[in-house]
Amino acid sequence: MELNFDTVIRNLPLFWQATLITVKITVLAFVFALIIAFTVGVLRSYKIPGLFKVLLAVYVEIFRGTPLLIQLFFIYYGLPSVGIIMDAFSAAVIGLALNGGAYMSESVRASILSVSKGQEEAAYSLGYNKLEAIWHIILPQAIRVAIPPLMNGFSSMLKETSLVSVISITELTRTGNLIYSRTARPFEIYLTLGLFYFVLTFSIVLLAKQIERKERRWIL
Amino acid sequence: MDTLSHLIEIKDIYKSFGDLSVLRGVSLNVSAGEILGIIGASGSGKSTLIRCINGLEATQRGEILIKGQRLNSSREAVNVRKKIGMVFQNFNLFPHYTVLQNITGPCRVVRKLSKKSAEELGESLLEKVRLKDKMAQYPGNLSGGEKQRVAIARVLAMEPEIILFDEPTSALDPELAYEVFDIIKLLAEDGMAMMIVTHQIGFIKNLAHLILFIDNGKIACSGNPDYILNECNHPHLQDFLMRLRENI
Ligand SMILES: Nc1ncnc2c1ncn2[C@@H]1O[C@H](COP(=O)(O)OP(=O)(O)O)[C@@H](O)[C@H]1O
Ligand SMILES: [Mg+2]
């Protein structure tokens, strides 16, 4: 077999465009997922009214217990039946954010549990109220524990954006598929696609290392 | 003595964890400037008593008054706690803060001091516990004795009217314990009211006005150090003291 990257090179502008869309969806979804994860993770770590607690648990278990693909289909094709209509891009971001938020909230919860009870008690005994103790004492210590799994979630999310190609968003994967259907050069195209994804996830790994190094200034 | 002059009044409190009844009718008073030593076997309820006083544990019966104010709802507990300092056996310094920030952080959040006055206060208190040269370090880099001295400085920064110590030197090597005792002696000279749980009889007998011997969730014996060490003939106290002497 003879390799021929001409097709790829000719279509590079399309790849770039698609990369931008993939990055945009990932970053937006990750930011929303973080907000969800911290809100849900903190609430589930503390005493809250029973019904509320059950609702949050149901959210987390449903989104962790069903395939992301089904969640995306449901949001994009299913919800319009009950009058909730949105464009594909919003559906993709919301789907990824809800899914990632559910997983990441468990990391946040575990990281909060990892901070010793004594820290909270010391804060209370100094006169901090509950919110002040969470904000100033517990979360800053929990975040350091949570950073590796959260950054892991970031890179998973990037790879999962591949799935949103099924709701007709022309991100990297769909772009690859489209070019393939026109040119029949699967080997070169999917190799290039993989390379693009790898460079992106590797950038996240480097970013994670950078953040972890900064957090290592204090020890226990 | 009239009730108003008591800093802390404890009236017949009971506390149990599930089936385990830990405090079984404890009453005591502490006045300004008074130093109480608390001794007793491990598991007798000393920590639980201390933790009930600043609301870390809720009692099931009885009453705790801090300067006449009842410690009931958690909202009151937040206010009442500001008058009570607590020094823990395992320090509980905030590891993500530097030594100085361990003091300025609470000053800014709880006392709403400005950054500048919090830092001035922090530096002067670190001077008092002779740790000013360590103020930029993180607690993880300090020895146990140094950590406990920072913890005491942190408590002093909140200007408490009484400080509760729960075995402040139990996690320390003996030679480091003295660093901490020296600071506690300084506080005694300043007239700070204190309740000190400790197994260091030699230290507490020269400091405390009153020593309580806790046995099985009750105050089995109380009196001045001389009475506790030499006269009280409660059999459990005699056993307890004998075992302590053997260990030393
Ligand atoms: N949070 C808790 N839950 C259940 N049991 C506890 C708890 N705290 C203390 N206890 C039990 O209460 C008893 C008294 O404990 P504690 O007050 O710590 O004793 P001391 O400080 O005198 O060693 C012990 O048997 C201990 O296991
Ligand atoms: Mg104890």
PDB file of all heavy atoms in Angstrom, chain A residues 121, chain B residues 15-18 20-23 38-51 57 89 166-167 197 199 214 217, ligand 1:
ATOM      1  N   GLU A 121     -13.080  20.912  62.235  1.00  0.00           N
ATOM      2  CA  GLU A 121     -13.283  21.212  63.652  1.00  0.00           C
ATOM      3  C   GLU A 121     -12.421  22.382  64.087  1.00  0.00           C
ATOM      4  O   GLU A 121     -12.851  23.230  64.870  1.00  0.00           O
ATOM      5  CB  GLU A 121     -12.984  19.971  64.498  1.00  0.00           C
ATOM      6  CG  GLU A 121     -13.997  18.860  64.256  1.00  0.00           C
ATOM      7  CD  GLU A 121     -13.780  17.677  65.159  1.00  0.00           C
ATOM      8  OE1 GLU A 121     -12.701  17.574  65.789  1.00  0.00           O
ATOM      9  OE2 GLU A 121     -14.698  16.835  65.246  1.00  0.00           O
TER      10      GLU A 121
ATOM     11  N   LYS B  15     -23.865  12.771  77.829  1.00  0.00           N
ATOM     12  CA  LYS B  15     -23.567  12.600  76.408  1.00  0.00           C
ATOM     13  C   LYS B  15     -23.343  11.125  76.129  1.00  0.00           C
ATOM     14  O   LYS B  15     -22.575  10.463  76.841  1.00  0.00           O
ATOM     15  CB  LYS B  15     -22.294  13.376  76.042  1.00  0.00           C
ATOM     16  CG  LYS B  15     -21.743  13.067  74.668  1.00  0.00           C
ATOM     17  CD  LYS B  15     -22.608  13.695  73.605  1.00  0.00           C
ATOM     18  CE  LYS B  15     -22.189  13.283  72.219  1.00  0.00           C
ATOM     19  NZ  LYS B  15     -23.135  13.806  71.201  1.00  0.00           N
ATOM     20  N   SER B  16     -24.029  10.592  75.121  1.00  0.00           N
ATOM     21  CA  SER B  16     -23.704   9.213  74.734  1.00  0.00           C
ATOM     22  C   SER B  16     -23.579   9.124  73.226  1.00  0.00           C
ATOM     23  O   SER B  16     -24.144   9.916  72.479  1.00  0.00           O
ATOM     24  CB  SER B  16     -24.767   8.246  75.258  1.00  0.00           C
ATOM     25  OG  SER B  16     -26.045   8.719  74.938  1.00  0.00           O
ATOM     26  N   PHE B  17     -22.816   8.169  72.793  1.00  0.00           N
ATOM     27  CA  PHE B  17     -22.707   7.834  71.373  1.00  0.00           C
ATOM     28  C   PHE B  17     -23.429   6.505  71.184  1.00  0.00           C
ATOM     29  O   PHE B  17     -22.912   5.467  71.588  1.00  0.00           O
ATOM     30  CB  PHE B  17     -21.245   7.697  70.939  1.00  0.00           C
ATOM     31  CG  PHE B  17     -20.455   8.971  71.064  1.00  0.00           C
ATOM     32  CD1 PHE B  17     -19.537   9.132  72.085  1.00  0.00           C
ATOM     33  CD2 PHE B  17     -20.618  10.007  70.146  1.00  0.00           C
ATOM     34  CE1 PHE B  17     -18.803  10.302  72.202  1.00  0.00           C
ATOM     35  CE2 PHE B  17     -19.894  11.170  70.254  1.00  0.00           C
ATOM     36  CZ  PHE B  17     -18.981  11.328  71.280  1.00  0.00           C
ATOM     37  N   GLY B  18     -24.616   6.543  70.634  1.00  0.00           N
ATOM     38  CA  GLY B  18     -25.391   5.315  70.519  1.00  0.00           C
ATOM     39  C   GLY B  18     -25.655   4.741  71.901  1.00  0.00           C
ATOM     40  O   GLY B  18     -26.196   5.420  72.764  1.00  0.00           O
ATOM     41  N   LEU B  20     -23.305   3.794  73.933  1.00  0.00           N
ATOM     42  CA  LEU B  20     -22.177   4.054  74.820  1.00  0.00           C
ATOM     43  C   LEU B  20     -22.389   5.377  75.535  1.00  0.00           C
ATOM     44  O   LEU B  20     -22.354   6.441  74.908  1.00  0.00           O
ATOM     45  CB  LEU B  20     -20.891   4.096  73.993  1.00  0.00           C
ATOM     46  CG  LEU B  20     -19.613   4.359  74.767  1.00  0.00           C
ATOM     47  CD1 LEU B  20     -19.242   3.149  75.598  1.00  0.00           C
ATOM     48  CD2 LEU B  20     -18.484   4.712  73.818  1.00  0.00           C
ATOM     49  N   SER B  21     -22.625   5.321  76.850  1.00  0.00           N
ATOM     50  CA  SER B  21     -22.798   6.593  77.545  1.00  0.00           C
ATOM     51  C   SER B  21     -21.439   7.049  78.071  1.00  0.00           C
ATOM     52  O   SER B  21     -20.750   6.343  78.791  1.00  0.00           O
ATOM     53  CB  SER B  21     -23.873   6.447  78.625  1.00  0.00           C
ATOM     54  OG  SER B  21     -23.322   6.472  79.889  1.00  0.00           O
ATOM     55  N   VAL B  22     -21.037   8.235  77.612  1.00  0.00           N
ATOM     56  CA  VAL B  22     -19.663   8.705  77.821  1.00  0.00           C
ATOM     57  C   VAL B  22     -19.581   9.749  78.942  1.00  0.00           C
ATOM     58  O   VAL B  22     -18.695   9.694  79.787  1.00  0.00           O
ATOM     59  CB  VAL B  22     -19.092   9.284  76.506  1.00  0.00           C
ATOM     60  CG1 VAL B  22     -17.718   9.882  76.738  1.00  0.00           C
ATOM     61  CG2 VAL B  22     -19.016   8.200  75.441  1.00  0.00           C
ATOM     62  N   LEU B  23     -20.517  10.704  78.955  1.00  0.00           N
ATOM     63  CA  LEU B  23     -20.583  11.654  80.068  1.00  0.00           C
ATOM     64  C   LEU B  23     -21.866  11.363  80.823  1.00  0.00           C
ATOM     65  O   LEU B  23     -22.946  11.295  80.231  1.00  0.00           O
ATOM     66  CB  LEU B  23     -20.572  13.104  79.563  1.00  0.00           C
ATOM     67  CG  LEU B  23     -19.304  13.557  78.833  1.00  0.00           C
ATOM     68  CD1 LEU B  23     -19.438  15.015  78.413  1.00  0.00           C
ATOM     69  CD2 LEU B  23     -18.061  13.368  79.701  1.00  0.00           C
ATOM     70  N   ILE B  38      -7.438  18.520  83.898  1.00  0.00           N
ATOM     71  CA  ILE B  38      -8.360  17.380  83.795  1.00  0.00           C
ATOM     72  C   ILE B  38      -7.542  16.126  83.536  1.00  0.00           C
ATOM     73  O   ILE B  38      -6.782  16.072  82.560  1.00  0.00           O
ATOM     74  CB  ILE B  38      -9.385  17.600  82.667  1.00  0.00           C
ATOM     75  CG1 ILE B  38     -10.216  18.852  82.975  1.00  0.00           C
ATOM     76  CG2 ILE B  38     -10.275  16.381  82.507  1.00  0.00           C
ATOM     77  CD1 ILE B  38     -11.170  19.232  81.884  1.00  0.00           C
ATOM     78  N   ILE B  39      -7.682  15.161  84.419  1.00  0.00           N
ATOM     79  CA  ILE B  39      -6.946  13.914  84.248  1.00  0.00           C
ATOM     80  C   ILE B  39      -7.925  12.749  84.258  1.00  0.00           C
ATOM     81  O   ILE B  39      -9.085  12.914  84.641  1.00  0.00           O
ATOM     82  CB  ILE B  39      -5.874  13.720  85.357  1.00  0.00           C
ATOM     83  CG1 ILE B  39      -6.529  13.691  86.732  1.00  0.00           C
ATOM     84  CG2 ILE B  39      -4.838  14.843  85.297  1.00  0.00           C
ATOM     85  CD1 ILE B  39      -5.559  13.373  87.868  1.00  0.00           C
ATOM     86  N   GLY B  40      -7.450  11.622  83.826  1.00  0.00           N
ATOM     87  CA  GLY B  40      -8.323  10.448  83.791  1.00  0.00           C
ATOM     88  C   GLY B  40      -7.813   9.469  82.755  1.00  0.00           C
ATOM     89  O   GLY B  40      -7.090   9.854  81.836  1.00  0.00           O
ATOM     90  N   ALA B  41      -8.221   8.220  82.921  1.00  0.00           N
ATOM     91  CA  ALA B  41      -7.744   7.171  82.023  1.00  0.00           C
ATOM     92  C   ALA B  41      -8.221   7.436  80.602  1.00  0.00           C
ATOM     93  O   ALA B  41      -9.196   8.159  80.383  1.00  0.00           O
ATOM     94  CB  ALA B  41      -8.245   5.813  82.497  1.00  0.00           C
ATOM     95  N   SER B  42      -7.535   6.851  79.664  1.00  0.00           N
ATOM     96  CA  SER B  42      -7.933   6.958  78.272  1.00  0.00           C
ATOM     97  C   SER B  42      -9.320   6.363  78.079  1.00  0.00           C
ATOM     98  O   SER B  42      -9.615   5.293  78.599  1.00  0.00           O
ATOM     99  CB  SER B  42      -6.888   6.222  77.435  1.00  0.00           C
ATOM    100  OG  SER B  42      -7.306   6.164  76.124  1.00  0.00           O
ATOM    101  N   GLY B  43     -10.194   7.091  77.387  1.00  0.00           N
ATOM    102  CA  GLY B  43     -11.551   6.607  77.164  1.00  0.00           C
ATOM    103  C   GLY B  43     -12.532   6.990  78.251  1.00  0.00           C
ATOM    104  O   GLY B  43     -13.694   6.618  78.206  1.00  0.00           O
ATOM    105  N   SER B  44     -12.062   7.766  79.256  1.00  0.00           N
ATOM    106  CA  SER B  44     -12.952   8.117  80.363  1.00  0.00           C
ATOM    107  C   SER B  44     -13.899   9.259  80.012  1.00  0.00           C
ATOM    108  O   SER B  44     -14.845   9.523  80.751  1.00  0.00           O
ATOM    109  CB  SER B  44     -12.122   8.472  81.602  1.00  0.00           C
ATOM    110  OG  SER B  44     -11.238   9.526  81.312  1.00  0.00           O
ATOM    111  N   GLY B  45     -13.657   9.944  78.893  1.00  0.00           N
ATOM    112  CA  GLY B  45     -14.583  11.002  78.458  1.00  0.00           C
ATOM    113  C   GLY B  45     -14.016  12.417  78.516  1.00  0.00           C
ATOM    114  O   GLY B  45     -14.757  13.382  78.370  1.00  0.00           O
ATOM    115  N   LYS B  46     -12.704  12.547  78.694  1.00  0.00           N
ATOM    116  CA  LYS B  46     -12.097  13.880  78.810  1.00  0.00           C
ATOM    117  C   LYS B  46     -12.264  14.693  77.534  1.00  0.00           C
ATOM    118  O   LYS B  46     -12.688  15.852  77.561  1.00  0.00           O
ATOM    119  CB  LYS B  46     -10.598  13.753  79.144  1.00  0.00           C
ATOM    120  CG  LYS B  46     -10.297  12.875  80.352  1.00  0.00           C
ATOM    121  CD  LYS B  46      -8.818  12.784  80.631  1.00  0.00           C
ATOM    122  CE  LYS B  46      -8.006  12.138  79.535  1.00  0.00           C
ATOM    123  NZ  LYS B  46      -8.315  10.713  79.275  1.00  0.00           N
ATOM    124  N   SER B  47     -11.922  14.075  76.407  1.00  0.00           N
ATOM    125  CA  SER B  47     -12.051  14.800  75.134  1.00  0.00           C
ATOM    126  C   SER B  47     -13.505  15.155  74.868  1.00  0.00           C
ATOM    127  O   SER B  47     -13.808  16.262  74.413  1.00  0.00           O
ATOM    128  CB  SER B  47     -11.524  13.958  73.977  1.00  0.00           C
ATOM    129  OG  SER B  47     -10.153  13.729  74.132  1.00  0.00           O
ATOM    130  N   THR B  48     -14.381  14.219  75.149  1.00  0.00           N
ATOM    131  CA  THR B  48     -15.806  14.465  74.908  1.00  0.00           C
ATOM    132  C   THR B  48     -16.282  15.667  75.717  1.00  0.00           C
ATOM    133  O   THR B  48     -17.006  16.522  75.202  1.00  0.00           O
ATOM    134  CB  THR B  48     -16.624  13.209  75.247  1.00  0.00           C
ATOM    135  OG1 THR B  48     -16.107  12.104  74.498  1.00  0.00           O
ATOM    136  CG2 THR B  48     -18.084  13.401  74.916  1.00  0.00           C
ATOM    137  N   LEU B  49     -15.841  15.748  76.974  1.00  0.00           N
ATOM    138  CA  LEU B  49     -16.219  16.890  77.820  1.00  0.00           C
ATOM    139  C   LEU B  49     -15.750  18.195  77.175  1.00  0.00           C
ATOM    140  O   LEU B  49     -16.522  19.148  77.023  1.00  0.00           O
ATOM    141  CB  LEU B  49     -15.608  16.719  79.217  1.00  0.00           C
ATOM    142  CG  LEU B  49     -15.744  17.916  80.160  1.00  0.00           C
ATOM    143  CD1 LEU B  49     -17.201  18.249  80.415  1.00  0.00           C
ATOM    144  CD2 LEU B  49     -15.026  17.648  81.492  1.00  0.00           C
ATOM    145  N   ILE B  50     -14.470  18.229  76.783  1.00  0.00           N
ATOM    146  CA  ILE B  50     -13.898  19.429  76.173  1.00  0.00           C
ATOM    147  C   ILE B  50     -14.647  19.786  74.889  1.00  0.00           C
ATOM    148  O   ILE B  50     -14.945  20.948  74.618  1.00  0.00           O
ATOM    149  CB  ILE B  50     -12.400  19.163  75.836  1.00  0.00           C
ATOM    150  CG1 ILE B  50     -11.578  19.031  77.118  1.00  0.00           C
ATOM    151  CG2 ILE B  50     -11.839  20.218  74.930  1.00  0.00           C
ATOM    152  CD1 ILE B  50     -11.204  20.341  77.719  1.00  0.00           C
ATOM    153  N   ARG B  51     -14.955  18.758  74.101  1.00  0.00           N
ATOM    154  CA  ARG B  51     -15.596  19.007  72.800  1.00  0.00           C
ATOM    155  C   ARG B  51     -17.042  19.468  72.974  1.00  0.00           C
ATOM    156  O   ARG B  51     -17.560  20.205  72.144  1.00  0.00           O
ATOM    157  CB  ARG B  51     -15.529  17.751  71.936  1.00  0.00           C
ATOM    158  CG  ARG B  51     -14.102  17.434  71.479  1.00  0.00           C
ATOM    159  CD  ARG B  51     -13.982  16.002  70.983  1.00  0.00           C
ATOM    160  NE  ARG B  51     -14.888  15.748  69.885  1.00  0.00           N
ATOM    161  CZ  ARG B  51     -14.649  16.100  68.627  1.00  0.00           C
ATOM    162  NH1 ARG B  51     -13.515  16.673  68.315  1.00  0.00           N
ATOM    163  NH2 ARG B  51     -15.523  15.864  67.692  1.00  0.00           N
ATOM    164  N   GLU B  57     -19.434  18.686  69.985  1.00  0.00           N
ATOM    165  CA  GLU B  57     -20.396  17.614  70.213  1.00  0.00           C
ATOM    166  C   GLU B  57     -21.607  18.233  70.907  1.00  0.00           C
ATOM    167  O   GLU B  57     -21.452  19.158  71.703  1.00  0.00           O
ATOM    168  CB  GLU B  57     -19.822  16.521  71.135  1.00  0.00           C
ATOM    169  CG  GLU B  57     -18.546  15.873  70.668  1.00  0.00           C
ATOM    170  CD  GLU B  57     -18.751  14.880  69.531  1.00  0.00           C
ATOM    171  OE1 GLU B  57     -19.913  14.673  69.116  1.00  0.00           O
ATOM    172  OE2 GLU B  57     -17.735  14.332  69.049  1.00  0.00           O
ATOM    173  N   GLN B  89      -4.872  17.886  70.220  1.00  0.00           N
ATOM    174  CA  GLN B  89      -3.729  16.987  70.377  1.00  0.00           C
ATOM    175  C   GLN B  89      -2.892  16.918  69.105  1.00  0.00           C
ATOM    176  O   GLN B  89      -1.672  16.946  69.151  1.00  0.00           O
ATOM    177  CB  GLN B  89      -4.267  15.597  70.731  1.00  0.00           C
ATOM    178  CG  GLN B  89      -3.205  14.552  70.897  1.00  0.00           C
ATOM    179  CD  GLN B  89      -3.800  13.243  71.425  1.00  0.00           C
ATOM    180  OE1 GLN B  89      -4.951  13.181  71.822  1.00  0.00           O
ATOM    181  NE2 GLN B  89      -2.992  12.208  71.436  1.00  0.00           N
ATOM    182  N   ASP B 166      -6.683  19.953  74.687  1.00  0.00           N
ATOM    183  CA  ASP B 166      -6.925  18.507  74.762  1.00  0.00           C
ATOM    184  C   ASP B 166      -5.620  17.757  74.512  1.00  0.00           C
ATOM    185  O   ASP B 166      -5.221  17.557  73.374  1.00  0.00           O
ATOM    186  CB  ASP B 166      -7.990  18.086  73.734  1.00  0.00           C
ATOM    187  CG  ASP B 166      -8.457  16.655  73.968  1.00  0.00           C
ATOM    188  OD1 ASP B 166      -7.962  16.013  74.927  1.00  0.00           O
ATOM    189  OD2 ASP B 166      -9.292  16.175  73.176  1.00  0.00           O
ATOM    190  N   GLU B 167      -4.986  17.376  75.583  1.00  0.00           N
ATOM    191  CA  GLU B 167      -3.693  16.683  75.511  1.00  0.00           C
ATOM    192  C   GLU B 167      -2.741  17.358  74.519  1.00  0.00           C
ATOM    193  O   GLU B 167      -2.315  16.754  73.528  1.00  0.00           O
ATOM    194  CB  GLU B 167      -3.895  15.209  75.127  1.00  0.00           C
ATOM    195  CG  GLU B 167      -4.820  14.484  76.100  1.00  0.00           C
ATOM    196  CD  GLU B 167      -4.666  12.972  76.023  1.00  0.00           C
ATOM    197  OE1 GLU B 167      -3.542  12.510  75.731  1.00  0.00           O
ATOM    198  OE2 GLU B 167      -5.658  12.259  76.272  1.00  0.00           O
ATOM    199  N   VAL B 197      -6.467  19.210  79.518  1.00  0.00           N
ATOM    200  CA  VAL B 197      -6.453  17.756  79.657  1.00  0.00           C
ATOM    201  C   VAL B 197      -5.023  17.298  79.426  1.00  0.00           C
ATOM    202  O   VAL B 197      -4.420  17.651  78.405  1.00  0.00           O
ATOM    203  CB  VAL B 197      -7.363  17.079  78.606  1.00  0.00           C
ATOM    204  CG1 VAL B 197      -7.248  15.557  78.715  1.00  0.00           C
ATOM    205  CG2 VAL B 197      -8.793  17.533  78.764  1.00  0.00           C
ATOM    206  N   HIS B 199      -1.775  14.171  80.632  1.00  0.00           N
ATOM    207  CA  HIS B 199      -1.265  13.098  81.470  1.00  0.00           C
ATOM    208  C   HIS B 199       0.031  13.529  82.178  1.00  0.00           C
ATOM    209  O   HIS B 199       0.623  12.752  82.906  1.00  0.00           O
ATOM    210  CB  HIS B 199      -0.985  11.837  80.630  1.00  0.00           C
ATOM    211  CG  HIS B 199      -2.230  11.204  80.097  1.00  0.00           C
ATOM    212  ND1 HIS B 199      -3.159  10.607  80.912  1.00  0.00           N
ATOM    213  CD2 HIS B 199      -2.726  11.097  78.840  1.00  0.00           C
ATOM    214  CE1 HIS B 199      -4.159  10.147  80.190  1.00  0.00           C
ATOM    215  NE2 HIS B 199      -3.919  10.434  78.926  1.00  0.00           N
ATOM    216  N   ILE B 214     -11.520  12.490  86.025  1.00  0.00           N
ATOM    217  CA  ILE B 214     -12.703  11.948  85.356  1.00  0.00           C
ATOM    218  C   ILE B 214     -12.582  10.432  85.340  1.00  0.00           C
ATOM    219  O   ILE B 214     -11.543   9.890  84.946  1.00  0.00           O
ATOM    220  CB  ILE B 214     -12.793  12.429  83.885  1.00  0.00           C
ATOM    221  CG1 ILE B 214     -12.618  13.937  83.792  1.00  0.00           C
ATOM    222  CG2 ILE B 214     -14.100  11.957  83.247  1.00  0.00           C
ATOM    223  CD1 ILE B 214     -13.845  14.727  83.932  1.00  0.00           C
ATOM    224  N   GLY B 217     -16.946   8.793  82.870  1.00  0.00           N
ATOM    225  CA  GLY B 217     -17.918   9.811  82.501  1.00  0.00           C
ATOM    226  C   GLY B 217     -18.425  10.663  83.645  1.00  0.00           C
ATOM    227  O   GLY B 217     -19.404  11.387  83.492  1.00  0.00           O
TER     228      GLY B 217
HETATM  229  N1  LIG C   1     -17.664  10.322  67.790  1.00  0.00           N
HETATM  230  C1  LIG C   1     -17.691   9.215  68.566  1.00  0.00           C
HETATM  231  N2  LIG C   1     -18.459   8.167  68.221  1.00  0.00           N
HETATM  232  C2  LIG C   1     -18.508   7.055  68.993  1.00  0.00           C
HETATM  233  N3  LIG C   1     -17.817   6.897  70.121  1.00  0.00           N
HETATM  234  C3  LIG C   1     -17.013   7.894  70.523  1.00  0.00           C
HETATM  235  C4  LIG C   1     -16.904   9.111  69.745  1.00  0.00           C
HETATM  236  N4  LIG C   1     -16.040   9.936  70.397  1.00  0.00           N
HETATM  237  C5  LIG C   1     -15.624   9.259  71.479  1.00  0.00           C
HETATM  238  N5  LIG C   1     -16.208   8.047  71.568  1.00  0.00           N
HETATM  239  C6  LIG C   1     -16.011   7.072  72.642  1.00  0.00           C
HETATM  240  O1  LIG C   1     -16.295   7.723  73.859  1.00  0.00           O
HETATM  241  C7  LIG C   1     -15.411   7.280  74.862  1.00  0.00           C
HETATM  242  C8  LIG C   1     -14.712   8.475  75.501  1.00  0.00           C
HETATM  243  O2  LIG C   1     -13.861   9.046  74.533  1.00  0.00           O
HETATM  244  P1  LIG C   1     -12.984  10.319  74.828  1.00  0.00           P
HETATM  245  O3  LIG C   1     -13.838  11.407  75.340  1.00  0.00           O
HETATM  246  O4  LIG C   1     -12.203  10.592  73.609  1.00  0.00           O
HETATM  247  O5  LIG C   1     -12.033   9.812  75.991  1.00  0.00           O
HETATM  248  P2  LIG C   1     -10.651  10.404  76.508  1.00  0.00           P
HETATM  249  O6  LIG C   1     -10.405  11.696  75.824  1.00  0.00           O
HETATM  250  O7  LIG C   1     -10.823  10.530  77.982  1.00  0.00           O
HETATM  251  O8  LIG C   1      -9.621   9.368  76.159  1.00  0.00           O
HETATM  252  C9  LIG C   1     -14.461   6.296  74.215  1.00  0.00           C
HETATM  253  O9  LIG C   1     -14.911   5.007  74.487  1.00  0.00           O
HETATM  254  C10 LIG C   1     -14.586   6.604  72.757  1.00  0.00           C
HETATM  255  O10 LIG C   1     -14.348   5.453  71.976  1.00  0.00           O
END
